[in-house]
């Protein structure tokens, strides 16, 4: 299947499955509002501990249930998805660990590639830079990170910093794509340990075809730049921001998992 056809089908995927897509949006919206509520409530120490636990569990359940629904649809299983809270937590934790692993790899590779730019005068600056970058991207959507590359040219800062940020976003896009391929591979082969093997994932990309894979990533980046600009224009209030965030979290899962499932070699 051609890359453009994969993108078209993936955009239609949540629309065709609008009932399940709506469920995912509602789940992420509940997650957004619950986290905001738990962060601002002041109560006893015991209540605070309970609320902190709930603020962690609810987003994980929202993610896990959404993943169960999407993989049920991708596998074209009949009937309604069999939702299990235990399996949802397992799916979410596996997904969180996997994404953290590839995000950390993106940070490490970016820091190493940034050394020749002269950004780090001392080796001690590298951990500080990585920490600052993690804080800067926390809570930022995948689309916003991918779509921020053109804005780097507008920064009134050191050229070495511009180059480093550009390197990070490019590496992030590549690592994010490998991570998503790993998720599809896990759903197909059910070998979690294998998903951390970058060389195995590169072998899958080789089967896809380097030119096809790079062309696909280019389309993803173009779409991300377009959506990032829409987010910037619409994200004008707290409530609207929460709704946009919930919509994007659901759409990101549906769109990316479907597109990479179609890209995955048979």
């Amino acid at each position: 299947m051609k890359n453009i056809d994969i993108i078209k089908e993936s955009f239609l995927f949540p629309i065709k499955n609008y009932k399940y897509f709506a469920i995912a949006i509602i789940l992420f919206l509940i997650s957004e509002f619950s986290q905001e509520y738990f962060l601002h409530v002041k109560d006893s120490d015991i209540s605070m501990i309970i609320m902190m636990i709930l603020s962690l569990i609810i987003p994980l359940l929202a993610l896990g249930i959404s993943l169960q629904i999407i993989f049920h649809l991708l596998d074209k299983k009949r009937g309604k998805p069999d939702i299990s809270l235990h399996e949802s937590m397992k799916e979410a934790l596996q997904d969180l660990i996997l994404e953290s692993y590839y995000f950390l790899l993106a940070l490490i590779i970016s820091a190493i590639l940034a050394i020749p730019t002269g950004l780090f005068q001392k080796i001690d600056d590298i951990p500080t830079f990585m920490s600052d970058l993690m804080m800067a991207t926390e809570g930022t959507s995948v689309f916003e990170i991918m779509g921020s590359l053109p804005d780097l040219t507008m920064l009134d800062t050191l050229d070495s910093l511009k180059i480093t940020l550009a390197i990070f976003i490019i590496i992030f896009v590549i690592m994010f794509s490998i991570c998503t391929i790993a998720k599809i591979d896990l759903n197909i082969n059910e070998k979690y340990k294998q998903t951390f093997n970058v060389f195995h994932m590169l072998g899958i990309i080789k089967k896809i075809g380097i030119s096809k894979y790079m062309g696909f990533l280019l389309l993803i980046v173009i779409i991300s730049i377009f959506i990032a600009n829409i987010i910037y224009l619409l994200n004008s209030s707290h409530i609207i921001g929460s709704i946009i965030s919930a919509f994007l979290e659901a759409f990101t899962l549906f769109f990316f998992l479907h597109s990479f499932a179609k890209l995955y070699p048979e």
Side-chain angles (χ1 to χ4, degrees):
M1 183 182 290
K2 293 181 179 179
N3 287 333
I4 192 68
D5 293 327
I6 292 175
I7 297 296
K8 286 178 182 176
E9 280 196 20
S10 299
F11 262 109
L12 292 174
F13 180 61
I15 297 171
K16 288 180 179 178
N17 299 282
Y18 64 91
K19 290 181 181 178
Y20 292 119
F21 182 49
I23 291 171
I25 293 173
I26 292 168
L27 286 170
F28 284 116
L29 196 56
I30 292 170
S31 172
E32 287 277 333
F33 287 145
S34 64
Q35 283 183 306
E36 287 294 326
Y37 174 76
F38 293 140
L39 284 172
H40 293 93
V41 168
K42 295 180 180 179
D43 212 328
S44 65
D45 291 339
I46 296 174
S47 296
M48 286 297 292
I49 293 169
I50 293 171
M51 287 179 181
M52 283 180 66
I53 293 170
L54 287 174
S55 69
L56 294 172
I57 291 175
I58 292 174
L60 286 173
L61 283 175
L63 174 62
I65 293 170
S66 298
L67 286 171
Q68 281 191 290
I69 289 170
I70 293 168
F71 284 125
H72 175 86
L73 295 171
L74 289 177
D75 295 339
K76 297 181 180 178
K77 294 178 181 177
R78 293 183 178 181
K80 296 178 181 179
D82 184 18
I83 303 299
S84 162
L85 293 182
H86 175 264
E87 284 299 315
S88 294
M89 286 298 293
K90 181 183 174 183
E91 286 267 12
L93 287 171
Q94 285 183 337
D95 189 84
L96 182 63
I97 293 168
L98 191 62
E99 286 195 351
S100 299
Y101 169 74
Y102 280 100
F103 183 71
L104 185 60
L105 282 181
L107 284 174
I108 293 170
I109 294 170
S110 299
I112 292 170
L113 293 177
I115 293 173
T117 67
L119 182 65
F120 308 123
Q121 298 300 319
K122 296 184 298 183
I123 198 71
D124 295 341
D125 292 338
I126 297 177
T128 304
F129 169 77
M130 291 175 67
S131 177
D132 290 344
L133 198 54
M134 287 179 73
M135 290 178 65
T137 53
E138 186 179 1
T140 306
S141 72
V142 172
F143 282 123
E144 288 174 299
I145 294 175
M146 289 183 178
S148 61
L149 187 57
D151 294 335
L152 296 178
T153 57
M154 304 300 291
L155 290 176
D156 184 19
T157 186
L158 297 172
D159 289 337
S160 58
L161 182 57
K162 288 183 184 180
I163 294 168
T164 302
L165 290 172
I167 288 170
F168 168 72
I169 293 174
I170 292 167
I171 298 298
F172 172 83
V173 171
I174 294 170
M175 284 299 165
F176 170 78
S177 69
I178 294 174
C179 179
T180 312
I181 289 171
K183 293 178 187 181
I184 303 301
D185 185 70
L186 174 61
N187 183 56
I188 293 172
N189 298 310
E190 298 182 349
K191 294 179 181 179
Y192 189 55
K193 187 178 179 180
Q194 184 172 274
T195 60
F196 296 93
N197 188 337
V198 179
F199 293 104
H200 175 72
M201 297 307 142
L202 291 174
I204 294 173
I205 291 172
K206 189 177 179 181
K207 289 180 182 178
I208 294 169
I210 303 298
S211 59
K212 181 180 177 66
Y213 169 76
M214 295 305 293
F216 178 79
L217 286 190
L218 181 60
L219 283 173
I220 291 293
V221 170
I222 292 170
I223 292 166
S224 300
I225 292 169
F226 177 73
I227 293 178
N229 280 279
I230 293 175
I231 295 168
Y232 178 78
L233 292 171
L234 295 179
N235 199 2
S236 57
S237 74
H238 174 67
I239 295 175
I240 294 175
S242 295
I243 294 171
I244 292 172
S245 178
F247 176 86
L248 279 177
E249 285 188 77
F251 180 79
T252 297
L253 280 179
F254 273 77
F255 174 76
F256 281 121
L257 289 176
H258 182 272
S259 61
F260 280 91
K262 288 292 182 181
L263 191 68
Y264 192 92
E266 297 180 0

